Amino acid sequence: MKATNEIKSFIKKQNSLDTLRFITCGSVDDGKSTLLGRMLYEAQLIFDDQVDNLVRDSKKMGTQDGEIDFALLVDGLAAEREQGITIDVAYRFFSTDNRKFIVADSPGHEQYTRNMVTAASNAEMAIILVDARNGIMPQTKRHSFIANLVGIKNIIVAINKMDLVNYDKQIFKKIVQSYKDNVLSKLNFQNIEFIPVSALAGDNIVTNSENMNWYSGRPLMTLLETLSIKDEINESFSLPIQYVNRPNLDF
């Protein structure tokens, strides 16, 4: 009876939570799939057998020299695993004690931009990833433009792979300023958060990283749990095809 009551209590609590639909986007190899996989792993939202499969698949077809490749949790297509890229949109549902989530992991390659548009048109928020080594790329601008065009007003700009630049605060600040000058100045997002992360190492994903004690903001999962969504998504949005194939946006 006690177990039954606990289950009922859990279901009741889950039903009372609001749902945030968001998308991960950005340039190719910025670490979108790795970020999502790390979030699920660190938040203990995957089962032990999934972890075992992940370890085995990482040794067989991963891109991290035998270490855990978190991208494999969401890169489900055989072609994606073989090439180490995301082709289709991978949807995942998960929940925490404070919120439920539906996340779309979108492809970064330019030729798969149409798939990103489909995912963005059903999202309330976007996590835009930037590789700390490369800074703002054309696809970063393109995905930001599309997210804004479909009506997304809430974004988190995650400067990823900070471990590969020695967790340098100045590099983070430089990329933030570049994004503000070259992207935000031409768009009209409302809620904007910047966060330095390492999806591979787990820095600033669930808890604040000791490697970046200069960052005084909240970790990524806390931001997702507490973000206030101001705008309803546009269910009927349809993006004109010329924007999907446009190679260089006028930023």
Side-chain angles (χ1 to χ4, degrees), residues 18-22 39 45 92-103 125 220-226:
D18 69 321
T19 301
L20 173 66
R21 286 176 282 185
F22 70 95
M39 288 168 57
L45 298 171
R92 291 292 183 272
F93 171 86
F94 66 96
S95 64
T96 65
D97 290 337
N98 300 306
R99 180 172 262 174
K100 294 182 290 188
F101 302 93
I102 300 175
V103 54
M125 194 275 296
L220 182 59
M221 285 300 296
T222 301
L223 287 175
L224 290 174
E225 287 181 321
T226 59

Side-chain angles (χ1 to χ4, degrees), residues 37-46 51 54 68 70 73:
R38 169 62 81 168
M39 288 168 57
L40 297 174
Y41 180 82
E42 289 290 346
Q44 300 181 350
L45 298 171
I46 56 176
V51 175
L54 177 62
I68 292 181
F70 294 100
L73 282 173

Side-chain angles (χ1 to χ4, degrees), residues 53-170:
N53 290 336
L54 177 62
V55 172
R56 184 181 64 251
D57 290 347
S58 295
K59 294 178 179 179
K60 180 180 179 181
M61 61 188 70
T63 61
Q64 303 301 325
D65 296 324
E67 297 297 322
I68 292 181
D69 186 350
F70 294 100
L72 296 180
L73 282 173
V74 289
D75 282 343
L77 297 179
E80 292 177 336
R81 292 193 169 197
E82 291 171 0
Q83 299 177 47
I85 62 173
T86 300
I87 297 174
D88 201 1
V89 177
Y91 290 93
R92 291 292 183 272
F93 171 86
F94 66 96
S95 64
T96 65
D97 290 337
N98 300 306
R99 180 172 262 174
K100 294 182 290 188
F101 302 93
I102 300 175
V103 54
D105 177 37
S106 66
H109 279 267
E110 182 178 350
Q111 61 265 42
Y112 303 120
T113 301
R114 293 188 186 188
N115 294 350
M116 178 270 172
V117 174
T118 300
S121 65
N122 291 291
E124 298 162 297
M125 194 275 296
I127 298 178
I128 299 173
L129 271 81
V130 178
D131 188 327
R133 301 169 300 174
N134 302 326
I136 307 304
M137 303 293 288
Q139 196 73 335
T140 313
K141 298 179 181 180
R142 184 177 289 108
H143 281 191
S144 298
F145 174 85
I146 292 173
N148 190 233
L149 188 64
V150 301
I152 293 176
K153 299 298 182 183
N154 312 277
I155 65 168
I156 296 174
V157 181
I159 313 303
N160 192 27
K161 304 187 181 182
M162 289 297 296
D163 56 312
L164 300 182
V165 295
N166 298 316
Y167 301 103
D168 194 314
K169 178 181 179 180
Q170 296 307 314

